[in-house]
Amino acid sequence: MASNPLLYHHHRLREVSFLLHASPSPFIFINDPISPRMTTQAVLGALSSTTSTTISMHLVHVNAVTCFSARLLFDAILNGLAQWTPSWEEGCTNWSGPNDTRRYNESLDAFLRGLKTLYSFLHHSDSNLPRVTRFVIVIERVERLKDRLPDLIVPLTRLAEMTRIDVTIIFVSSGRWDDMRPSLGASPDPYFVDISIPTKEACVAHLCSVFQSCQTEPNLSLNPYHPALEGIHASFASILCDACFPFTNDPDELAYAAAARWPGFVQPILDNHAMERGKDDSNLTERDDNEHLFTDDAMLVDDTHDFVTPPEEVRMRLNRYFKPSITAALEQLYPRFSNAQDWADANKPSPEALEIVFPVHRVDHLSKPRIGVTVKEKPAEPYRNLTRMSKFILISSFLASMNPAKSDLRMFGRGLDEKKRKRRRITKAPSAKIKSGPIKIPQHFLGPAVFPLDRMLAILGALLEENDNDDNFRPSKIDFSIPGEYTDMEVSRVGVCSTIIDLTSSRLLHRTSPVERLDGPPMFKCGVSYDVVLGLAKELDVPLQDLLWDSL
Amino acid sequence: MPTSPSKRSRNLINLVSGSLPLQFHECLNSQKYAILHALRNMSDIQLENDIEDEDDMDRTNTSTSQNLDELLCGTVERGEGNSCLLLGPRGTGKTMMLERALSKISSGDSPPVIIRLSGWLQQNDRLAMREIARQLREQTGASFLSAEVEEETHDRDDEPNPFIDNPADDPETSVAEPSPTHLPALIAVLPTLSRASIVILEGFDLFALHARQALLYCLLDTAQSCRAGANSKGLAVVGLTTRVDTINLLEKRVKSRFSGRILRVAPQTINYWRRLTKAILCVFVGEDAFTDEEDLAQWRTTWETRVQQFLDDKSTLQTLSETFSITKDMRMLTAVLTSTVVTLSPEAPWPTSSQFLTSAEIHRVRPLYPYLHNLPYSAICLLIASVHAGTAGYSVVTFDMLHEYFRDQVRSSTAAPVQINGGSIGMTFETLVAAKIFVSVTAPSWNTAKEFTKYICVVEREDVKKAVDKGGMIPLKKWLNKAQ
């Protein structure tokens, strides 16, 4: 991926590399708020690419996400430094010293001893030259260490003085050292290297380097990653960065979006080229029909020789046509709602793209140019196939989560006069005393609140009575004299309870009280968002807005 | 100065079209290597003797060093039992002083057994005992832990042979944690060794936190009861700490065993810093790296002149004294100088005061979020939204809240370049959470949706304002100004 690691933020890394080849500080902290992964790759690339005659550097890269326990971390470091790969046939043993079978992952002491043993072992093995043996340990995502193995931070930062060998530890993180610094000044202060946030130029350069690394050998036929297209790609990278910079300047994310959009973007050009060539070929074959000068192989080699970079105006049309789709790609791909391959497949440019970009191919007059994104396929509506009762339950649980319990009587209560009480909002009277302390955050910002099952059933009853009391569907055999009695019976059916359990298991409701608790009603929380409930309410013709205490 | 006067009079090197002439690139590189090497091995640097040299701090450290030497000498040569505490702030050279004393002692006739313990590593007495036993075995070649209760008597008569390589005892010995009851027996072995022993306790204050301070008690008690001239060798216990009230942490019985000798190490003076800076920057390049001797001489002259110019610069001195007044930690100076030297390149081959200041700012008191104004548009929007929430009186924010503020703003203003549907802004928020700009105030819970987790914004309103001003987007500025 990092084809040219020094391209981006290179001078900082050149410094680090120089420092490590000279006399490094025992502890270096690299802070990159945007893309620590790339920085790590670049550091590793820079270190492994330069060789020195006086220093034999042993480099290991450890990710704190994978090394979530002390043993894993110790093993990873020692195996990496010794370039030891555990193999299945040998029982997956770790590196265990030149001649004994000690374990070096038991404790910190053992690890330090292992490090020393390894150091002297490696030092002797390359002692034919008067060289300095140096260990460099790069740990990525150190913020995880603080969460997982906080005890190890101090020893790791003091590794050089504790082992008394030439070892440098490099922490790479998107967080700040101040956030993970152990208390009481237990760790020495690191040598700080700050990676600045990539500029647009750096990102474009990175995209271009990725483009170059994607080129396939041999470049016979014109494919999206053909070197001939480099110029177009550069302008594409530029508009991609322009479109995406309001959201992200992580070069990796940009490259991901580019990978999804580029093949579609360049498709009209490729099509055009193919058509032109088709024309030429037909001309050619007509002319040289008898001579057969060109064999098929020659054709293949010749594929790109007549490729001309399209003029500026074509590029502009291309950009205008595809620009909206770039933002759409980022919207889908940055949160990984979809993956690059699927997105690219779903958003292949329609045949009309060719006509818009190259008006020569236009057969009839299109009404207006459209944008280069196909109609977004709606995700299958997961709530469509819920039963009617489930939908009511979801709405009432949303209401129970959002409304304060005190408001229930006001919102749903009915007097004997059968007239629904008007919802009355208390207008805030300008009270003389100002309450101290922070202001209460409205419930809809805090998300759904917890409610007891009984309350939700009561609201469900009220909802059903209001919106589902069509007498045509009710069995007429049973005689209910009191109004609302039928709904009462309906709500207390076993079916309702089992529906609630079903909804809970599909995580549309969250049960917050433990299942084994017997006393008190079980507590629930609504698990669907406002938009979903709004859709359901529309479907069932429930006036949701009127039923919410704080209108959203 | 090895440079001869005739060569000193040579012309200085001038930059050719903004860059160092090609033949000097190697010189610059070697100079950088040499300086970095000197920075790592500061104790080897010989300072020129000035008259100002004899100030208070230096005298303190000289006498401390002498006291330490004498104490160790007494243990090794006369078999005394000693204990002392080296006390001084971080980065004043405690370890360096001790190492110097130890190397002096070790190069003598009877090198002592040196046992190094660290409060950060040996967090309880059992770990410490295991480490002591292991180091003893490494240095004397005999095992003391597996059955030292039985062997204790043997140890007296047949002394362990220091020349035996690691005896092939079973490796499990070193792995198993010994029982704490063996502690007194293990420590009692120390004076019975064939050589004097020195126990170094780094992070002495942390050992005082161990249960019942058993290790300290045993060590100090053994040291105190060490009788000179008897059949036993000496034992010295040297503690290193930065904590001034360490002695008060000790229990009464431990404190009474401690000799009470506290050797203070004082931080260096600003004068010392200045002289050290000069000495380090003017360190000489090895001759073997060059073919042309004249070039080398010319390089040296130029380099010295430039360094002198750099050091005479008023702003350099100011930066140095400011740094010194913030921390007297020697490692700070090292880091700042390293950073200055590493950035030298053929385009800018001489150290400058502005570069020095930049390096100092990176390492001294680090700005909280120096990159704030470079964040993407949506991140700045979220920060402004959190300022608005703060103005409205909310102490904590949820993503949903910020998103609503943002949505309202996009609705009401026509100049917003961002679409609001889609999840990208949520991803931006996650980046900010990862960079700890928004810090969660509640524990993560599986039944709270992500957008409703409560956060506080660490960035102050002023910083947001500065970032927005620097970014220079008018609509954002207007939006921020609405939050009054």
Side-chain angles (χ1 to χ4, degrees):
Chain A
M1 191 67 194
S3 53
N4 188 354
L6 288 186
L7 200 62
Y8 149 74
H9 53 234
H10 61 107
H11 68 275
R12 283 264 166 253
L13 298 177
R14 208 167 49 198
E15 284 168 21
V16 174
S17 168
F18 182 86
L19 193 61
L20 285 169
H21 281 101
S23 309
S25 318
F27 172 30
I28 298 176
F29 188 89
I30 301 181
N31 178 15
D32 182 351
I34 296 296
S35 55
R37 196 180 73 90
M38 227 174 107
T39 303
T40 317
Q41 295 302 329
V43 168
L44 294 175
L47 287 182
S48 51
S49 63
T50 40
T51 49
S52 162
T53 48
T54 51
I55 290 168
S56 93
M57 193 182 288
H58 298 270
L59 184 67
V60 63
H61 165 226
V62 174
N63 193 329
V65 176
T66 52
C67 299
F68 50 83
S69 75
R71 276 182 188 234
L72 283 173
L73 184 72
F74 297 156
D75 284 341
I77 291 178
L78 286 176
N79 287 343
L81 285 174
Q83 299 191 325
W84 171 277
T85 319
S87 72
W88 182 257
E89 288 76 26
E90 291 167 24
C92 296
T93 49
N94 290 310
W95 183 84
S96 57
N99 47 16
D100 61 359
T101 52
R102 282 195 184 150
R103 282 193 184 174
Y104 291 126
N105 59 8
E106 298 267 336
S107 67
L108 201 55
D109 288 337
F111 168 65
L112 295 184
R113 205 157 42 95
L115 213 55
K116 275 191 255 185
T117 318
L118 178 62
Y119 186 82
S120 59
F121 172 64
L122 290 177
H123 188 66
H124 286 306
S125 63
D126 43 46
S127 63
N128 41 3
L129 288 167
R131 304 220 292 187
V132 182
T133 307
R134 178 166 295 154
F135 284 175
V136 178
I137 302 170
V138 182
I139 302 187
E140 193 184 344
R141 303 203 59 168
V142 189
E143 62 271 18
R144 287 300 186 94
L145 273 190
K146 183 178 166 36
D147 301 337
R148 284 261 165 202
L149 307 162
D151 290 346
L152 281 188
I153 290 187
V154 178
L156 281 178
T157 56
R158 290 175 169 261
L159 210 54
E161 62 183 86
M162 281 173 173
T163 52
R164 303 156 65 80
I165 57 177
D166 193 347
V167 56
T168 293
I169 188 139
I170 302 180
F171 282 1
V172 184
S173 170
S174 62
R176 301 178 310 139
W177 170 240
D178 290 357
D179 291 330
M180 51 196 99
R181 184 208 302 270
S183 59
L184 292 174
S187 288
D189 279 332
Y191 176 78
F192 290 105
V193 178
D194 292 330
I195 305 291
S196 54
I197 290 189
T199 57
K200 192 190 146 196
E201 291 74 37
C203 288
V204 171
H206 173 71
L207 290 181
C208 289
S209 77
V210 171
F211 175 77
Q212 281 159 9
S213 69
C214 288
Q215 290 167 6
T216 46
E217 290 289 333
N219 284 310
L220 285 182
S221 58
L222 197 62
N223 60 354
Y225 292 99
H226 195 275
L229 297 170
E230 219 158 289
I232 306 170
H233 183 270
S235 77
F236 165 74
S238 172
I239 64 161
L240 181 99
C241 287
D242 277 339
C244 299
F245 253 48
F247 289 111
T248 179
N249 37 24
D250 183 347
D252 274 344
E253 290 298 336
L254 294 175
Y256 194 70
R261 185 68 283 193
W262 170 247
F265 184 88
V266 81
Q267 195 59 47
I269 293 182
L270 299 183
D271 289 350
N272 176 52
H273 179 67
M275 286 175 82
E276 297 280 325
R277 237 177 59 83
K279 270 186 209 162
D280 287 357
D281 284 353
S282 56
N283 290 343
L284 212 64
T285 35
E286 274 167 27
R287 244 189 302 131
D288 305 328
D289 212 8
N290 307 325
E291 300 171 20
H292 296 292
L293 279 176
F294 296 95
T295 60
D296 278 357
D297 287 346
M299 282 293 183
L300 263 179
V301 179
D302 265 357
D303 191 11
T304 60
H305 82 283
D306 53 351
F307 178 75
V308 279
T309 317
E312 188 61 26
E313 124 192 59
V314 168
R315 261 192 229 182
M316 279 169 69
R317 274 198 293 269
L318 205 59
N319 289 355
R320 201 169 46 239
Y321 181 73
F322 280 106
K323 197 162 186 182
S325 75
I326 291 177
T327 332
L330 190 78
E331 290 289 338
Q332 283 289 309
L333 296 177
Y334 190 22
R336 297 288 190 275
F337 289 142
S338 169
N339 60 58
Q341 184 69 54
D342 284 359
W343 195 90
D345 290 346
N347 289 281
K348 274 185 185 150
S350 54
E352 75 183 30
L354 180 67
E355 295 163 12
I356 289 164
V357 177
F358 293 97
V360 211
H361 301 300
R362 195 174 291 177
V363 277
D364 57 337
H365 290 280
L366 284 165
S367 50
K368 56 173 183 177
R370 291 183 213 153
I371 59 165
V373 57
T374 47
V375 187
K376 263 188 227 162
E377 44 179 322
K378 283 261 176 200
E381 183 59 76
Y383 309 103
R384 177 70 40 93
N385 46 14
L386 288 178
T387 62
R388 190 173 164 81
M389 183 53 93
S390 310
K391 288 174 186 170
F392 269 110
I393 289 174
L394 280 184
I395 294 175
S396 56
S397 70
F398 183 76
L399 288 174
S401 268
M402 285 306 179
N403 287 354
K406 275 185 197 163
S407 68
D408 282 353
L409 192 62
R410 232 175 238 284
M411 307 293 283
F412 304 103
R414 280 187 158 216
L416 283 174
D417 50 353
E418 290 261 335
K419 195 182 141 204
K420 188 180 179 188
R421 285 196 192 190
K422 281 285 168 227
R423 171 186 178 209
R424 252 188 337 194
R425 301 271 315 262
I426 307 166
T427 47
K428 232 182 209 167
S431 58
K433 52 176 183 183
I434 298 160
K435 270 200 281 180
S436 63
I439 301 171
K440 196 172 174 298
I441 300 174
Q443 188 59 47
H444 63 270
F445 285 148
L446 292 179
V450 178
F451 55 83
L453 178 66
D454 298 352
R455 190 179 151 218
M456 195 267 276
L457 287 179
I459 294 178
L460 179 66
L463 269 187
L464 289 176
E465 187 60 26
E466 286 287 322
N467 301 290
D468 200 36
N469 57 359
D470 195 346
D471 284 334
N472 298 335
F473 294 118
R474 296 192 169 176
S476 49
K477 272 184 262 170
I478 317 164
D479 187 30
F480 291 111
S481 51
I482 312 169
E485 203 184 345
Y486 176 75
T487 315
D488 242 14
M489 191 198 77
E490 199 67 22
V491 163
S492 52
R493 279 184 198 279
V494 175
V496 171
C497 291
S498 69
T499 309
I500 289 175
I501 292 173
D502 281 352
L503 289 175
T504 310
S505 64
S506 54
R507 304 282 295 154
L508 297 175
L509 282 180
H510 294 171
R511 184 176 174 139
T512 53
S513 61
V515 187
E516 63 271 16
R517 183 185 292 168
L518 293 178
D519 52 338
M523 306 295 274
F524 287 94
K525 204 173 176 181
C526 180
V528 286
S529 70
Y530 172 66
D531 297 328
V532 173
V533 173
L534 198 63
L536 293 179
K538 263 185 196 151
E539 204 183 319
L540 298 176
D541 213 14
V542 176
L544 186 70
Q545 286 294 349
D546 295 348
L547 298 174
L548 279 170
W549 185 247
D550 283 324
S551 57
L552 293 176
Chain B
M1 296 288 135
T3 321
S4 67
S6 66
K7 279 176 184 167
R8 265 180 183 283
S9 61
R10 293 180 60 97
N11 292 332
L12 301 183
I13 303 168
N14 287 316
L15 301 190
V16 178
S17 62
S19 172
L20 201 64
L22 203 62
Q23 70 264 33
F24 295 111
H25 284 195
E26 194 54 37
C27 296
L28 176 66
N29 237 357
S30 318
Q31 186 75 48
K32 279 163 79 177
Y33 269 105
I35 292 174
L36 291 178
H37 184 75
L39 279 169
R40 289 298 140 243
N41 307 296
M42 252 195 224
S43 53
D44 302 344
I45 292 173
Q46 300 296 322
L47 290 184
E48 306 165 34
N49 270 322
D50 276 6
I51 307 170
E52 300 161 81
D53 197 7
E54 292 302 315
D55 40 27
D56 271 358
M57 301 299 183
D58 244 27
R59 238 175 287 152
T60 320
N61 285 359
T62 320
S63 70
T64 305
S65 183
Q66 276 171 3
N67 286 344
L68 188 65
D69 284 350
E70 280 165 19
L71 184 136
L72 294 183
C73 195
T75 296
V76 174
E77 286 172 9
R78 298 189 291 277
E80 295 169 2
N82 279 318
S83 55
C84 77
L85 196 58
L86 270 183
L87 181 70
R90 299 174 67 193
T92 45
K94 299 182 292 294
T95 314
M96 208 193 276
M97 186 181 286
L98 181 66
E99 290 302 327
R100 219 181 291 150
L102 285 179
S103 66
K104 237 183 264 176
I105 286 288
S106 303
S107 57
D109 318 327
S110 53
V113 175
I114 300 174
I115 293 168
R116 296 166 193 275
L117 300 178
S118 166
W120 318 111
L121 278 181
Q122 283 80 38
Q123 284 160 354
N124 58 48
D125 283 349
R126 302 175 107 190
L127 290 175
M129 282 169 66
R130 197 170 64 181
E131 189 60 25
I132 291 174
R134 184 180 293 149
Q135 294 195 12
L136 275 180
R137 195 181 53 178
E138 272 170 18
Q139 294 186 45
T140 62
S143 172
F144 297 96
L145 206 57
S146 50
E148 81 277 351
V149 186
E150 298 95 314
E151 277 178 16
E152 213 185 332
T153 44
H154 299 286
D155 273 334
R156 292 251 162 78
D157 15 80
D158 64 77
E159 283 173 354
N161 186 350
F163 301 105
I164 294 176
D165 246 336
N166 258 354
D169 53 38
D170 76 291
E172 290 304 312
T173 323
S174 50
V175 171
E177 288 193 10
S179 145
T181 48
H182 290 180
L183 179 67
L186 179 69
I187 302 293
V189 167
L190 290 176
T192 65
L193 297 175
S194 61
R195 296 179 278 162
S197 42
I198 298 174
V199 180
I200 296 160
L201 301 171
E202 248 182 88
F204 188 78
D205 47 326
L206 294 177
F207 284 99
L209 304 179
H210 290 189
R212 296 185 301 285
Q213 303 185 343
L215 178 78
L216 286 184
Y217 176 78
C218 286
L219 275 174
L220 294 174
D221 187 49
T222 316
Q224 195 187 37
S225 58
C226 221
R227 291 275 165 265
N231 205 7
S232 61
K233 297 287 178 183
L235 168 68
V237 180
V238 184
L240 283 82
T241 184
T242 55
R243 202 165 156 176
V244 181
D245 64 341
T246 309
I247 202 83
N248 297 335
L249 293 175
L250 299 180
E251 285 172 19
K252 195 180 168 195
R253 62 193 182 112
V254 182
K255 207 196 273 182
S256 66
R257 260 88 183 163
F258 178 54
S259 68
R261 225 173 301 175
I262 297 180
L263 307 177
R264 286 180 196 281
V265 184
Q268 305 292 354
T269 58
I270 179 78
N271 263 330
Y272 181 83
W273 273 38
R274 259 183 235 154
R275 285 185 290 121
L276 190 70
T277 310
K278 184 170 182 206
I280 286 175
L281 287 181
C282 288
V283 78
F284 279 112
V285 191
E287 309 239 351
D288 51 359
F290 306 97
T291 45
D292 191 353
E293 212 161 279
E294 280 193 14
D295 278 352
L296 178 61
Q298 196 186 0
W299 167 262
R300 277 185 181 171
T301 329
T302 316
W303 179 258
E304 261 173 44
T305 320
R306 295 293 178 178
V307 166
Q308 196 55 49
Q309 275 173 11
F310 165 71
L311 290 174
D312 289 344
D313 196 335
K314 263 191 186 156
S315 45
T316 308
L317 289 181
Q318 196 189 346
T319 312
L320 195 65
S321 59
E322 272 171 8
T323 313
F324 181 77
S325 57
I326 290 170
T327 171
K328 298 184 171 56
D329 192 337
M330 203 56 116
R331 285 172 292 198
M332 178 64 76
L333 181 66
T334 316
V336 173
L337 283 177
T338 308
S339 167
T340 312
V341 169
V342 159
T343 46
L344 297 181
S345 65
E347 285 74 39
W350 321 120
T352 60
S353 56
S354 59
Q355 178 56 42
F356 190 59
L357 180 64
T358 317
S359 308
E361 274 169 354
I362 291 174
H363 286 93
R364 221 160 45 188
V365 180
R366 288 173 61 75
L368 216 51
Y369 297 103
Y371 50 81
L372 215 53
H373 61 280
N374 277 332
L375 285 177
Y377 174 86
S378 49
I380 300 276
C381 283
L382 286 172
L383 288 176
I384 297 178
S386 79
V387 170
H388 275 276
T391 316
Y394 302 131
S395 53
V396 295
V397 294
T398 61
F399 172 69
D400 204 46
M401 193 179 205
L402 300 181
H403 196 188
E404 178 149 316
Y405 276 111
F406 181 51
R407 257 189 322 234
D408 288 350
Q409 173 61 19
V410 172
R411 246 179 244 144
S412 64
S413 104
T414 47
V418 170
Q419 300 177 343
I420 49 165
N421 51 352
S424 292
I425 185 131
M427 291 303 292
T428 312
F429 187 70
E430 297 211 343
T431 329
L432 294 183
V433 171
K436 291 269 165 75
I437 289 179
F438 284 96
V439 178
S440 168
V441 287
T442 47
S445 145
W446 56 272
N447 56 20
T448 306
K450 257 187 182 172
E451 60 263 38
F452 299 122
T453 317
K454 290 180 192 162
Y455 289 95
I456 50 170
C457 179
V458 184
V459 180
E460 298 288 330
R461 187 204 167 95
E462 274 308 300
D463 295 331
V464 177
K465 194 164 183 304
K466 271 182 209 156
V468 171
D469 285 348
K470 254 191 182 171
M473 290 184 102
I474 305 293
L476 289 184
K477 227 181 261 183
K478 275 189 193 158
W479 185 26
L480 180 64
N481 286 338
K482 270 201 247 165
Q484 291 299 343

